[in-house]
Amino acid sequence: MTPAPPPKQWTVRELLAWTIQHFKDKGNGEAKLDAELLLAHVLGCDRPYLFVRFDELPTDAERARFRELITRRLAGWPVAYLVGARGFYMLNFEVDSAVLIPRSDTETLVLEALKLLKPLTAPDVLDLGTGSGCIAISIAHQKKEARVTATDLSPDALAVAKRNAAKHGVANRVTFAQGDLFAAVPAGSTFDLIASNPPYIAQGEFAALAPDVRDHEPRLALDGGPDGLAFYRRIATAAGTFLKPGGSLLLEIGYTQEAAVRALLGERPEFEAGPTLKDMGGRPRVVTAKKR
Ligand code: GLN
């Protein structure tokens, strides 16, 4: 009787090549990135280090864990939730399914906020619906003396955001407050800049959303009411009260919402319209206004 062949020893290189092909066969448009992020997570290293570990032989336990993550990814779980993190702007943010996964589109808002805050000394900033905290924490991290208030309706989201603030060394300058938009903000406080990436998906659009988003990201962070504009209406009505004269309002929008959101702000005499900023794909992404 011939002995059974020894089980194949897979190198990092082989595991990656196999997984990338497998993801591609299943129609995953981010096959390479997803495979690398998952394997780096299992091996406990940052993605670039995979390439110096190409000839290593992961243990049976590591391969079993990797297989399990591949299965969950193919079942629709976003990679960011599987590995518990997502890079945004300059920092890596912890995420779980209580928070929207930070999008690179939102970096447009952060860049504009930092530009507007640059000439100000110790500015006060408000982030409504902070989620993972990616906007509030990126601003506090880059503008060293900014004092940021970050609100969210979800206590679970705030727990994630607080851990991110501590991890990035800005917990002493970011105040977290639980509540519905401005209800969480102390009456009488005013800000140099108010930013928000509110939920903006219209209820009728959910069926057509990518399943990764629709079935896994928090509905609370996405659902903008029947026409997707519910939060912009409420923010437009109240933001003037919380802005200092000359203060800025920056609202991330869905790329079809520019005219509607500009019109909502245009109805308010306290605001002077600013430019709409585009994301890296060239689509309208951030509507801006200034308090007169
Ligand atoms: N940009 C997100 C998406 O398209 C939506 C984010 C939001 O509703 N604020 O999935």
Side-chain angles (χ1 to χ4, degrees), residues 12 105 120 124 137 163 166 233 279 281:
V12 165
D105 293 337
L120 306 185
D124 291 301
I137 292 164
R163 287 197 294 274
R233 281 194 194 90
D279 62 26

Side-chain angles (χ1 to χ4, degrees), residues 57-121:
L57 300 170
T59 64
D60 289 348
E62 285 165 338
R63 280 191 291 134
R65 177 99 187 94
F66 186 46
R67 267 200 308 277
E68 184 196 317
L69 291 175
I70 291 170
T71 305
R72 292 178 73 198
R73 176 70 196 111
L74 290 172
W77 279 85
V79 167
Y81 292 153
L82 294 176
V83 305
R86 171 52 49 100
F88 173 82
Y89 194 49
M90 315 275 276
L91 302 171
N92 199 35
F93 287 86
E94 175 189 326
V95 298
D96 67 22
S97 57
V99 302
L100 191 80
I101 298 166
R103 312 290 208 256
S104 54
D105 293 337
T106 306
E107 294 172 353
T108 300
L109 187 155
V110 169
L111 283 165
E112 182 67 11
L114 291 171
K115 192 170 107 189
L116 290 165
L117 294 172
K118 193 160 190 165
L120 306 185
T121 312

Side-chain angles (χ1 to χ4, degrees), residues 3-10 14 57 60 63:
K8 179 172 164 39
Q9 296 284 295
W10 290 76
E14 288 166 336
L57 300 170
D60 289 348
R63 280 191 291 134

Side-chain angles (χ1 to χ4, degrees), residues 100 103 105 197-201 209 213 221-222 252 285:
L100 191 80
R103 312 290 208 256
D105 293 337
N197 173 17
Y200 57 63
I201 308 294
L209 271 188
V213 179
L222 294 167
E252 178 168 327
R285 188 57 70 185

Side-chain angles (χ1 to χ4, degrees), residues 12 15-16 19-20 23 28 30-51 53-54 62 65-66 69-70 73 77-88 92-93 95 101-102:
V12 165
L15 276 174
L16 269 181
T19 308
I20 291 168
F23 279 162
N28 178 339
E30 295 281 3
K32 184 167 184 294
L33 180 63
D34 284 3
E36 289 172 4
L37 285 169
L38 293 177
L39 189 55
H41 177 66
V42 166
L43 298 180
C45 64
D46 286 336
R47 194 159 60 98
Y49 286 92
L50 285 177
F51 304 96
R53 298 178 64 173
F54 257 169
E62 285 165 338
R65 177 99 187 94
F66 186 46
L69 291 175
I70 291 170
R73 176 70 196 111
W77 279 85
V79 167
Y81 292 153
L82 294 176
V83 305
R86 171 52 49 100
F88 173 82
N92 199 35
F93 287 86
V95 298
I101 298 166

